[in-house]
Amino acid sequence: LAKMSGGGSTLLGYIGIDTIIEQMRKKTMKAGFDFNIMVVGNSGLGKSTLVNTLFKSQVSRRSAGWARDEKIPKTIEIKAVSHVLEEGGVKMKLTVVDTPGFGDQINNDNCWEPISKYINEQYEKFLKEEVNITRKKRIPDTRVHCCIYFITPTGHSLRSLDIEFMKRLSHSVNIIPVIAKSDTMTIEERLEFKQRVRKELEMGGIEVYPQKEFDEDMEDKSDNDKIREAMPFAVVGSDKEYQVNGKRVLGRKTAWGIVEVENPNHCEFAQLRDFLIRSHLQDLKEVTHNIHYETYRAKRLNENGGLHPITCNDTQESNL
Amino acid sequence: MDAIMLQEKLVERLLCPRVRTARQKEKQYVGFATLPNQVHRKSVKKGFDFTLMVAGESGMGKSTLVNSLFLTDLYKDRKLLNAEGLILHHLRSPSCHHHLSAASPCDPPPSPSALLCRCCAERIHQTVEIIKHTVDIEEKGVKLKLTIVDTPGFGDAVNNNECWKPITDYIDQQFEQYFRDESGLNRKNIQDNRVHCCLYFIPPFGHGLRPVDVEFMKALHEKVNIIPLIAKADCLTPNEIKKLKDRIREEIDKFGIKVYQFPECDSDEDEEFKQLDKELKECTPFAVIGSNTVVEARGQRVRGRLYPWGIVEVENQSHCDFVKLRNMLIRSHMHDLKDVTCDVHYENYRAQCIQEMTSKLAQDNRVDSPVPILPLSTPDVETEKLIKMKDEELKRMQEMLNKMQQQMHDKDQ
């Protein structure tokens, strides 16, 4: 039965406005959607493996012809690889942006700059499309929706590079820190490490995703508080399967046992996956679009006297 | 299967999510198939909005149809509608400086032709007003903010030249407002007042489209989704309805009027669905009947009209196309109507707007210096002051109206 307010009495019956949800769903399914994820961290922390494990497909740079023994690049490169995945009738164009060379040099000063530049270039691309006279119906979205930052499992604290990077980029992209290769720590060590990391983030004034200031209501806040208290997630990635208790599971086999990736008692991979994909995927995109992108756009419109729609048709390099 | 059951099936089909079972590799479940649910959850929280315009001469049953569609009594306070008309008159005629005297609730509502100002006894010229009613509806947890834009006075005067101009101006104003908001710096809470759909009521008495119908639709077909309807269809026999529909469809083609087209079926829909969709399209323009009253028919209480020779049931598909219209408008195409408004009509307006702005600048010879187009400039100080003054006047009038409404309400208690 319909309820009404604002100048009307109710006459019994069913109008059918709830069906608009289904109409929207149909369109979303038909259109498919884009998701762009960036991984940042030192070589060898298992970035590619983790992404492959998350999406249960060979989606990372490694699979696109990268040899394991290739030399560490002299400068940071930004490599984006896209795949179309389909599940339950929903098509997703997943783009994984890898950043080989980050933090691997002797002098890592400003190694975050190419990354920052890449992120801003995607915002600029989107802005130009938006400002165009004839706009595409669906502007192709290459903006980075989520940046997973891999923390080295030293067991002590965050390194200066970690803090520098997250401080500088948390205002232009959603950062989700994870503790990589966490099977090097015992459960107690892991708990202590996580607490220390959280404290350092707080002291540095670094707001990682989900940011407290963007909680929309009490429900969001309580959901997100639980996640914030569990972060950073300690993960293990693997693309190999083993037999455990009669089931095939993804894991790492050692002499002392098998680390099961999806076992919540072993590591927090499952939690990360549920958080990232099953509950907050849409929110990551929305925060990127409504907040980070808007911040960029406002800044851009205030400088250089604004944007002229016609000149945006030219292929101008952004001067960022 | 009879027509009614087929129709129900169509609606059901449209509502079920279609799951593509294409080449499903032996892949394990990642979980992003939940994305539509995530989007859904946010939309349910935020709620939706929809703006529907109704246009046509007085007495075509527009208000009744809207009430029937959305199960509301939006026009219960009809008396006050005329008072609002009086208020607008006072704002416009500079010569009348008297205060508006409150209409006594016992006074019969003045008929449109006899609308005289109480204080200066000047005849209020029939002009087309634009009146908005907003209603919040919630159903199964989904919130809809429905805005009905009424256009009383359309086609009612003796000389109806360009009587659609206030309507096209209104639509353009909403586009312009949205364009400014969208181009501004702070885009957090943009209010979308763009008109998503216009129901145009064609009288059943003629032999097809009249000149005013043709001109109206041509003036609006590139600004808004037009759905033409044959009003008060209960005065026609089934044969007459069919002839009239064929005639109107012919004339729409002949005059090149672009009414809202229901989107094509997906090629992978089955034959039955396609057939149903085809029948629906061939049924346009829908012949509708509305009713504010509930009557007893076939042992049930239904919305209908009681005649000595029988009972017309609004929701009976063999009596009229009301159900088809409602299903199309609300249950299957509401989202598409909004999409077409945003992607086609608004984009056309915006492109045109930008062209005009840039050509104006070229004329002013200022194209050499870097000109800020975005964010759009705000109107100059003088205009701002005038706007503010008028706003305050309107606010005072609105308060008076609210007081009168409250008095009425108290009187009813």
Side-chain angles (χ1 to χ4, degrees), chain B residues 80-246:
Chain B
L80 280 142
L81 229 75
N82 290 322
E84 205 171 312
L86 286 169
I87 291 174
L88 286 163
H89 157 78
H90 277 268
L91 285 177
R92 289 230 195 84
S93 52
S95 52
C96 177
H97 296 294
H98 295 97
H99 293 300
L100 180 67
S101 51
S104 143
C106 311
D107 290 352
S111 67
S113 55
L115 221 49
L116 297 175
C117 172
R118 267 174 213 285
C119 24
C120 63
E122 186 187 307
R123 178 185 221 97
I124 296 175
H125 293 290
Q126 280 296 313
T127 50
V128 182
E129 319 284 13
I130 304 279
I131 296 184
K132 284 187 353 180
H133 301 268
T134 305
V135 142
D136 288 313
I137 307 178
E138 185 175 330
E139 198 172 57
K140 297 202 180 154
V142 179
K143 298 197 230 1
L144 177 72
K145 176 165 159 262
L146 174 70
T147 304
I148 306 286
V149 181
D150 203 349
T151 56
F154 174 82
D156 286 340
V158 172
N159 180 357
N160 287 311
N161 258 347
E162 303 231 311
C163 60
W164 49 84
K165 194 147 186 324
I167 299 174
T168 51
D169 283 349
Y170 177 83
I171 294 176
D172 281 342
Q173 268 165 34
Q174 308 316 306
F175 280 158
E176 163 144 8
Q177 182 62 48
Y178 193 83
F179 182 42
R180 281 185 186 275
D181 288 346
E182 190 189 46
S183 311
L185 279 178
N186 188 344
R187 307 199 293 185
K188 273 214 172 92
N189 294 313
I190 300 185
Q191 268 245 334
D192 187 2
N193 292 321
R194 297 175 292 184
V195 181
H196 299 124
C197 173
C198 175
L199 296 178
Y200 184 67
F201 289 69
I202 300 169
F205 314 122
H207 292 288
L209 296 178
R210 304 162 303 160
V212 70
D213 299 328
V214 175
E215 290 309 305
F216 175 88
M217 290 199 273
K218 288 190 81 167
L220 263 83
H221 65 171
E222 284 178 344
K223 294 184 191 287
V224 71
N225 296 317
I226 300 185
I227 297 183
L229 302 172
I230 297 174
K232 296 200 160 175
D234 55 345
C235 72
L236 298 171
T237 66
N239 270 339
E240 289 167 347
I241 289 184
K242 184 169 182 311
K243 267 204 261 183
L244 185 57
K245 283 187 183 185
D246 288 340

Side-chain angles (χ1 to χ4, degrees), chain B residues 24-46:
Chain B
Q24 272 288 9
K25 283 184 277 190
E26 231 316 288
K27 236 171 17 139
Q28 286 160 45
Y29 184 61
V30 172
F32 63 82
T34 61
L35 187 88
N37 286 341
Q38 294 179 37
V39 174
H40 157 163
R41 188 166 162 265
K42 292 209 171 238
S43 308
V44 169
K45 264 198 201 172
K46 264 200 304 194

Side-chain angles (χ1 to χ4, degrees), chain A residues 16 87 132 135 283 294, chain B residues 30 42 139 184 187 347 350:
Chain A
E87 188 176 81
N132 229 339
R135 308 195 282 199
D283 189 59
E294 287 297 312
Chain B
V30 172
K42 292 209 171 238
E139 198 172 57
R187 307 199 293 185
E347 289 297 315
R350 179 180 171 274

Side-chain angles (χ1 to χ4, degrees), chain A residues 1-30 33 54-57 85-92 130-135 137 216-217 219-220 223 241 262 273 277-283 286 289-290 293-294 297-298 301-302 305-310, chain B residues 14-20 22-24 27-45 48 69-74 76 134-140 142-144 182-185 187 266 269 292 294 303 326 330-336 338-339 343 346-347 350-351 354-355 358 371-375:
Chain A
L1 292 180
K3 283 186 286 175
M4 228 136 321
S5 62
S9 65
T10 318
L11 283 153
L12 300 160
Y14 170 66
I15 308 169
I17 55 179
D18 56 326
T19 60
I20 195 169
I21 301 284
E22 277 312 315
Q23 296 173 41
M24 267 183 63
R25 179 197 289 263
K26 227 178 161 241
K27 288 226 170 193
T28 315
M29 307 258 289
K30 223 181 176 184
F33 60 103
L54 271 174
F55 292 98
K56 297 228 160 94
S57 316
L85 305 175
E86 184 171 338
E87 188 176 81
V90 178
K91 280 207 190 75
M92 173 166 79
E130 214 183 28
V131 154
N132 229 339
I133 297 184
T134 35
R135 308 195 282 199
K137 180 165 172 177
E216 282 173 8
D217 52 38
E219 197 190 333
D220 269 355
D223 287 341
E241 283 186 340
E262 284 175 297
R273 179 202 52 209
I277 300 175
R278 296 183 190 177
S279 61
H280 284 70
L281 195 61
Q282 179 61 17
D283 189 59
E286 288 193 3
H289 179 67
N290 295 331
Y293 170 69
E294 287 297 312
R297 179 178 172 275
L301 292 184
N302 272 327
L307 288 165
H308 193 295
I310 287 186
Chain B
L14 290 167
L15 300 185
C16 284
R18 301 198 66 78
V19 177
R20 251 146 262 222
R23 340 111 247 167
Q24 272 288 9
K27 236 171 17 139
Q28 286 160 45
Y29 184 61
V30 172
F32 63 82
T34 61
L35 187 88
N37 286 341
Q38 294 179 37
V39 174
H40 157 163
R41 188 166 162 265
K42 292 209 171 238
S43 308
V44 169
K45 264 198 201 172
F48 296 91
L69 275 172
F70 294 98
L71 302 180
T72 59
D73 244 345
L74 279 179
K76 186 171 65 158
T134 305
V135 142
D136 288 313
I137 307 178
E138 185 175 330
E139 198 172 57
K140 297 202 180 154
V142 179
K143 298 197 230 1
L144 177 72
E182 190 189 46
S183 311
L185 279 178
R187 307 199 293 185
D266 291 330
E269 303 276 2
N292 279 333
V294 177
R303 278 203 182 229
R326 183 193 55 200
I330 301 172
R331 299 187 191 174
S332 51
H333 290 75
M334 187 178 260
H335 195 65
D336 188 60
K338 294 178 72 171
D339 273 355
D343 298 337
Y346 171 71
E347 289 297 315
R350 179 180 171 274
I354 296 182
Q355 301 276 30
T358 42
V371 184
I373 295 291
L374 298 171

Side-chain angles (χ1 to χ4, degrees), chain B residues 16 55 243 265 279 304 324 326-327 379 409:
Chain B
C16 284
K243 267 204 261 183
C265 268
E279 280 172 26
K324 288 202 177 75
R326 183 193 55 200
N327 287 348
H409 182 77

